[in-house]
Amino acid sequence: MEGQTRGGRGPPEKPLPAAATRSLSSVGAIFILLKSALGAGLLSFPWAFHKAGGVGPAFLVELVSLVFLISGLVILGYAASVSGQATYQGVVHGLCGPTIGKLCEACFIINLLMISVAFFRVIGDQLEKLCDSLLPGGLQPWYATQCFTLPTVSMLVILPLSLPRDIAVQKYTSTLGTLASCYLALVITVQYYLSPHGLVQELRPSLSPPPWTSVFSVFPTICFGFQCHEAAVSIYCSMRSQSLSHWALVSVLSLLACCLIYSLTGAYGFLTFGTGVSADILMSYPGDDVAIIVARVLFAVSIVTVYPIVLFLGRSVMQDFWTRSCRGTWRPLVLADPTGPWVRVPLTILWVAVTLAMALFLPDLSEIIGIIGGISSFFIFIFPGLCLICAVGIEPIGPRVKCCLEAWGVISVLLGTFIFGQSTVAAVLELL
């Protein structure tokens, strides 16, 4: 497909937008892709292992999902090279038409907003638990509440990290965030073997096989945990080497490393607490454990480093909308470039303010994850499948290969539709 992409009879390759500068190395791309996936879902994986009925069923679901997750990333890189677009929504719009493109933009904004809200909730919960550990007993002071800590972290840390124009800048903070996530997985693994004082181990996993519906119910958590597909096109178009085989290798290495971290956290967290595991694994541990306190701090740092990546993607949609809405109308020169500071900075402040306000008033995080997991199936399964079907219709590919690729695209769309329907209905029923 790689050679056909460059020499096909489809539409000529378009120059990448100025925002998509090719300055990202392969290692940087791996870290950004890995950090995009290692988000708040890491805390929920032990709970997902419990819902799946144990380590075995959970591993099976994870491995099956991994095939489609890697496939989706490779498809998005191929679709980006065919369409010549540098954003996820641009690729979908260019290949699948304006109707599907508008649906993609709507789902894109909703999904990224909810992810940003979930990140704020995780940061707030970890800071609140940290304050409880450092300031034990009695009513917590005003500066230890989320109403103070979250706005402070937003203004002093998150906002400055979110202002850069190019996603390639995030490779430095992504390295730090990835190491923080690895520390959390290491602590949970070591805690299982050391069995520190006060750790609850009486509740053990059930040995009875779960119904198939329980196995499928963990798909939203897996989708929420592994979702990095929204950033895939932007990362691919920022890489210096954009061959499809090279992108496939980057995708495989990133998701295998992510799978290892998630599996260690999920398996050992579940084996430690059994059926008594919490939806936030750190909440199951005693608050006075020094290793857990450090893990809370580092995991909060990890989420702070991935929030700017999500904001960058959401801001790109709003910048595209700004460009379309202002087309053909007069505007000052400073507002002509949607990536310029006079447009980029206000959009960044608006995104942080809206998601921060939503985070302070929305319900439990597990309910948010159920909704996000359902919507994310569009970006992991449905839209990549549609892009593959449309792309092979443009490119001159042999009939057998074309038939196989179209069949894979149809399977991805059907599986994504099933996961979206099942997870959304379950999330709505839990909210009622």
Side-chain angles (χ1 to χ4, degrees):
M1 287 191 302
E2 182 181 342
Q4 293 163 337
T5 297
R6 301 185 183 278
R9 295 191 303 267
E13 288 191 5
K14 306 173 186 177
L16 291 178
T21 56
R22 301 188 183 189
S23 59
L24 188 61
S25 65
S26 301
V27 176
I30 290 174
F31 273 107
I32 295 179
L33 202 59
L34 178 60
K35 193 65 209 80
S36 299
L38 286 175
L42 187 60
L43 298 179
S44 302
F45 255 65
W47 178 64
F49 273 55
H50 160 57
K51 289 182 65 178
V55 176
F59 272 141
L60 180 61
V61 175
E62 198 174 1
L63 291 176
V64 172
S65 302
L66 197 61
V67 175
F68 288 92
L69 291 164
I70 295 175
S71 168
L73 290 175
V74 177
I75 290 172
L76 289 171
Y78 170 62
S81 65
V82 171
S83 65
Q85 300 294 321
T87 61
Y88 193 114
Q89 66 275 11
V91 169
V92 176
H93 188 279
L95 291 177
C96 304
T99 302
I100 303 297
K102 291 178 181 178
L103 175 63
C104 176
E105 288 183 352
C107 294
F108 206 78
I109 284 290
I110 294 173
N111 191 47
L112 294 176
L113 276 173
M114 297 302 292
I115 292 174
S116 300
V117 171
F119 286 169
F120 268 131
R121 287 298 305 270
V122 170
I123 295 171
D125 290 342
Q126 300 309 318
L127 292 178
E128 186 176 33
K129 194 71 175 179
L130 179 64
C131 291
D132 291 340
S133 302
L134 300 178
L135 304 171
L139 186 64
Q140 293 296 327
W142 59 269
Y143 54 82
T145 63
Q146 293 191 22
C147 292
F148 177 79
T149 57
L150 279 182
T152 303
V153 172
S154 301
M155 289 186 296
L156 298 181
V157 183
I158 292 179
L159 188 59
L161 290 177
S162 303
L163 289 175
R165 173 176 178 168
D166 194 355
I167 195 174
V169 178
Q170 306 299 333
K171 62 185 177 182
Y172 303 107
T173 56
S174 295
T175 304
L176 175 63
T178 301
L179 295 176
S181 299
C182 292
Y183 176 81
L184 175 62
L186 179 63
V187 166
I188 292 176
T189 303
V190 172
Q191 291 277 22
Y192 170 75
Y193 290 104
L194 296 182
S195 300
H197 177 70
L199 203 58
V200 180
Q201 288 187 305
E202 289 81 2
L203 295 173
R204 285 296 173 184
S206 173
L207 298 179
S208 59
W212 66 272
T213 52
S214 299
V215 175
F216 280 113
S217 67
V218 305
F219 270 110
T221 305
I222 292 177
C223 290
F224 175 68
F226 279 93
Q227 63 176 340
C228 54
H229 296 64
E230 294 90 339
V233 175
S234 298
I235 296 172
Y236 172 80
C237 293
S238 297
M239 292 176 59
R240 288 194 289 265
S241 175
Q242 294 186 3
S243 67
L244 192 61
S245 58
H246 188 78
W247 170 247
L249 179 61
V250 169
S251 303
V252 169
L253 293 177
S254 300
L255 288 190
L256 285 180
C258 186
C259 183
L260 176 62
I261 296 173
Y262 273 126
S263 299
L264 288 175
T265 304
Y268 283 102
F270 171 69
L271 292 174
T272 301
F273 296 100
T275 56
V277 67
S278 171
D280 180 349
I281 183 61
L282 289 179
M283 297 298 179
S284 300
Y285 290 93
D288 57 351
D289 191 306
V290 176
I292 298 301
I293 292 176
V294 175
R296 292 188 192 283
V297 175
L298 291 181
F299 191 73
V301 171
S302 172
I303 300 301
V304 167
T305 61
V306 74
Y307 183 98
I309 299 176
V310 176
L311 189 148
F312 172 86
L313 300 172
R315 190 177 63 201
S316 68
V317 180
M318 294 189 290
Q319 288 169 340
D320 289 346
F321 178 77
W322 172 267
T323 302
R324 292 197 306 268
S325 62
C326 295
R327 187 173 298 160
T329 62
W330 180 88
R331 51 182 166 168
L333 185 61
V334 294
L335 301 180
D337 182 9
T339 62
W342 289 95
V343 177
R344 187 178 72 251
V345 173
L347 289 179
T348 302
I349 295 174
L350 176 64
W351 185 279
V352 173
V354 170
T355 54
L356 176 61
M358 293 174 65
L360 295 174
F361 298 103
L362 277 183
D364 183 64
L365 180 62
S366 61
E367 298 171 354
I368 299 176
I369 289 177
I371 298 173
I372 298 173
I375 299 176
S376 64
S377 63
F378 276 90
F379 305 100
I380 297 175
F381 302 99
I382 298 177
F383 289 134
L386 292 175
C387 287
L388 180 61
I389 295 172
C390 296
V392 297
I394 296 174
E395 293 291 289
I397 300 176
R400 290 186 179 180
V401 176
K402 181 178 180 180
C403 182
C404 292
L405 293 176
E406 288 179 340
W408 185 257
V410 171
I411 293 173
S412 298
V413 172
L414 293 177
L415 180 60
T417 304
F418 171 77
I419 294 174
F420 171 74
Q422 187 270 339
S423 60
T424 303
V425 170
V428 170
L429 291 177
E430 288 183 5
L431 288 173
L432 297 178

